[in-house]
Amino acid sequence: MYRYDEFDSAFVRQRTEQFTDQVARRLSGELSEEEFRPLRLMNGVYLQLHAYMLRVAIPYGTLSSRQMRMLARIAREYDKGYGHFTTRQNIQYNWPALRDIPAVLQLLADVEMHAIQTSGNCIRNTTADHFAGAAADEIADPRPIAEVIRQWSSIHPEFSFLPRKFKIAVSGAATDRAAIRFHDIGLQLVRGPDGGKGYEVWVGGGQGRTPMIAKLIRPFIEETELLAYLEAVLRVYNRYGRRDNKYKARIKILVHETGEADIRADIEEEYARLKGGSLTVPAEEIRRIEAYFALPAMPPRPETSETLEAAKASDPALALFCAQNLHPHRVPGYTSMTISLKPIGGIPGDATADQMDAVADLAEAFGFDEIRVSHEQNLILPHVALDDVPDVFARLVSMGLATANAGLVTDIIACPGLDYCALANARSIPIAQSISERFGDAGRQRDIGPLSVKISGCINACGHHHVGHIGILGVDRKGEEFYQITLGGAPGEDAAIGSIIGPGFLADQVPDAIETIVDTYLAVRRDPAEPFLLALRRVGEAPFKEALYGTR
């Protein structure tokens, strides 16, 4: 993991001191809420329906045990005993008192964390593949370049007041687990003709009111010139992005209205002015940062663990967990383990302070002191010896964290919705809970196979419903919560935006509608090896529409 240097530490402390003074002025009445708003947003503080909310950055989704324990302490001492992990690899606290937030920021600074640029019209937390640095299918670890981007983008004087918020994601594997095509900028690590590292640059993706898939603006940029190219993209956006209409202010609208060829020409013209200048990152600096992300010293182990195989043979629950929640590791004898934050009937992404402490203990004892947060609202132990999996699983069981549903129908992504958010039109959490309970049987989930359900409580799409195999959008219809269903979304290299299947449903009708969709899939699939998305693409929407709505 990256370690703060003296500049990082001084920078974060200075911002904490500034915000401490701003909070004191707000509490004294010297600042009105309107005057305080831009100041708090620059420090990750939102005003939601019932209280202030603090969003803490977890850069590229990587945490140490020490940092996780601090997140647990904050949840226990300054919130209601839990935190909510988000689709941007952040954590949110929904109930802090404003007077306590400076103290929370000080505690975060003590463990090299902060809440800077987790809100506002700036460059937000750069996200990455949650298996980065460990995945067997990885070209190279993308987190070092994500750290370079973090350093470049933090309080960038030119890009602190963009037309709208700006999000960057990085993937280092051929399988895109970072949804790069649905970000303002998506970066795909590739090898050049000489074997050197570089990046595909995708621009103009996003969800929300107008979902769009990003365009491949440049097929290769050398890693040393990446910052100059990103600066060129941001300058073009800052210059031409709409500021008169927030619904048309994202770069995706600029790319769409300008046209792919013209926007590429504008970016390349700006890049020509920047290339080879002060934004060129010396290769030795990249190598220095890469050293922070080197794999831990992992003792050699057999590719197959006799200990684990024997334990699986005697424990069906463990065998099910291993089949669903383990991911191939680049080092033989090790695995990456998903810790689902989606217990049956639970709130997606929530973790109690005790659970956070337990995960920190596991990472320290079995995971080389490293934890990841996924954009799917789960936690990951990226480096676990196969021999240790039975012991880790037993501890997860004791903490209620052993749900074997990674990638299945109950591994639901959901935003906080109308239970918390002032922007929401409908609740997301109860819908997620009811669907989870309906499909809670582990055998049935396995029979259905890979299937993503994603739920948003408003058109802002924080629950990524546009890219769910089944997407659910809550809307307000004459004061009543109503839910539109989309089919066919996909966030990865086969990116697709789901299509609205037909008229929406009342809240209590949604579980039946999802069950009808699933039953239809089971009836039309060629065999159990054909996943939902491929079956849908083969047969089209007609069978699903007919099952839901009849022949009308």
Side-chain angles (χ1 to χ4, degrees), residues 245-290:
N245 185 336
K246 70 177 182 178
Y247 302 118
K248 296 185 177 182
R250 298 292 291 270
I251 194 173
K252 62 186 178 183
I253 303 298
L254 178 64
V255 172
H256 176 72
E257 293 186 346
T258 304
E260 184 178 339
D262 287 346
I263 203 76
R264 181 183 291 111
D266 288 341
I267 293 168
E268 290 291 337
E269 181 182 352
E270 187 64 39
Y271 171 59
R273 287 193 282 267
L274 296 169
K275 183 179 181 180
S278 61
L279 286 169
T280 299
V281 183
E284 56 269 24
E285 175 63 10
I286 296 175
R287 303 290 88 79
R288 183 187 73 83
I289 292 175
E290 282 179 344

Side-chain angles (χ1 to χ4, degrees), residues 342-346 405 408-412 429-446 448 451 453 455 470 472 485 505-519 522 548:
K342 321 288 179 56
I344 302 305
N405 64 346
L408 298 180
V409 63
T410 61
D411 186 13
I412 298 168
I429 292 171
I431 302 299
Q433 290 173 307
S434 62
I435 295 171
S436 174
E437 290 166 351
R438 177 68 64 92
F439 292 94
D441 179 76
R444 188 182 185 200
Q445 291 184 62
R446 290 279 291 165
I448 294 167
L451 178 58
V453 177
I455 307 171
I470 301 174
I472 302 171
I485 294 178
F505 297 88
L506 295 171
D508 61 359
Q509 298 172 328
V510 172
D512 287 338
I514 303 306
E515 187 155 37
T516 297
I517 291 169
V518 171
D519 287 344
L522 295 176
L548 281 170

Side-chain angles (χ1 to χ4, degrees), residues 11-72:
F11 164 65
V12 173
R13 300 282 182 190
Q14 182 183 48
R15 283 299 299 266
T16 301
E17 291 170 4
Q18 290 172 348
F19 192 58
T20 299
D21 176 66
Q22 291 162 357
V23 169
R25 290 159 62 201
R26 173 69 190 106
L27 292 173
S28 71
E30 184 179 346
L31 290 175
S32 67
E33 178 57 40
E34 190 61 27
E35 292 169 326
F36 182 56
R37 182 176 182 274
L39 303 175
R40 63 172 169 77
L41 288 177
M42 292 174 69
N43 292 278
V45 182
Y46 285 78
L47 183 57
Q48 294 203 301
L49 277 178
H50 313 294
Y52 285 102
M53 178 268 280
L54 175 66
R55 180 182 295 150
V56 177
I58 303 174
Y60 33 87
T62 298
L63 284 168
S64 68
S65 300
R66 178 170 171 254
Q67 290 172 326
M68 182 63 94
R69 288 195 183 94
M70 182 58 77
L71 296 181

Side-chain angles (χ1 to χ4, degrees), residues 195-452:
K197 283 191 294 186
Y199 294 86
E200 294 177 352
V201 183
W202 296 75
V203 179
Q207 297 189 54
R209 187 176 298 270
T210 312
M212 292 184 180
I213 299 171
K215 307 296 185 183
L216 180 57
I217 296 300
R218 202 174 218 266
F220 187 82
I221 185 76
E222 293 181 5
E223 61 177 359
T224 56
E225 290 298 326
L226 179 62
L227 287 192
Y229 202 81
L230 296 183
E231 184 110 352
V233 175
L234 265 296
R235 281 190 173 183
V236 169
Y237 171 51
N238 210 19
R239 184 182 307 141
Y240 298 120
R242 298 276 297 268
R243 294 178 184 271
D244 61 322
N245 185 336
K246 70 177 182 178
Y247 302 118
K248 296 185 177 182
R250 298 292 291 270
I251 194 173
K252 62 186 178 183
I253 303 298
L254 178 64
V255 172
H256 176 72
E257 293 186 346
T258 304
E260 184 178 339
D262 287 346
I263 203 76
R264 181 183 291 111
D266 288 341
I267 293 168
E268 290 291 337
E269 181 182 352
E270 187 64 39
Y271 171 59
R273 287 193 282 267
L274 296 169
K275 183 179 181 180
S278 61
L279 286 169
T280 299
V281 183
E284 56 269 24
E285 175 63 10
I286 296 175
R287 303 290 88 79
R288 183 187 73 83
I289 292 175
E290 282 179 344
Y292 285 108
F293 296 92
L295 276 173
M298 306 173 79
R301 294 175 179 270
E303 190 168 343
T304 300
S305 165
E306 294 182 3
T307 300
L308 176 57
E309 293 306 311
K312 286 162 58 178
S314 63
D315 185 351
L318 172 62
L320 182 62
F321 181 86
C322 292
Q324 207 58 51
N325 287 38
L326 300 188
H327 192 272
H329 200 282
R330 63 194 304 177
V331 178
Y334 292 84
T335 187
S336 296
M337 177 184 291
T338 295
I339 300 173
S340 173
L341 297 183
K342 321 288 179 56
I344 302 305
I347 299 175
D350 277 12
T352 68
D354 288 347
Q355 287 174 330
M356 286 187 249
D357 278 335
V359 172
D361 291 343
L362 288 173
E364 202 166 60
F366 299 103
F368 297 93
D369 197 30
E370 195 169 330
I371 304 157
R372 304 288 176 79
V373 180
S374 76
H375 81 273
E376 295 161 340
Q377 297 177 290
N378 292 319
L379 301 177
I380 288 93
L381 297 178
H383 314 297
V384 178
L386 290 173
D387 286 348
D388 292 332
V389 169
D391 288 339
V392 176
F393 176 72
R395 297 197 190 190
L396 291 175
V397 169
S398 70
M399 291 303 301
L401 290 170
T403 308
N405 64 346
L408 298 180
V409 63
T410 61
D411 186 13
I412 298 168
I413 288 178
C415 70
L418 196 55
D419 286 303
Y420 295 97
C421 182
L423 300 176
N425 302 120
R427 294 171 296 168
S428 299
I429 292 171
I431 302 299
Q433 290 173 307
S434 62
I435 295 171
S436 174
E437 290 166 351
R438 177 68 64 92
F439 292 94
D441 179 76
R444 188 182 185 200
Q445 291 184 62
R446 290 279 291 165
D447 182 53
I448 294 167
L451 178 58
S452 70

Side-chain angles (χ1 to χ4, degrees), residues 473 475 477 482-486 500-506 509-510 513 545 548-550 552:
L473 169 63
V475 298
R477 192 181 70 172
F482 214 63
Y483 295 86
Q484 293 177 347
I485 294 178
T486 57
I500 297 174
I501 194 69
F505 297 88
L506 295 171
Q509 298 172 328
V510 172
K545 286 184 176 180
L548 281 170
Y549 305 109
R552 56 181 171 145

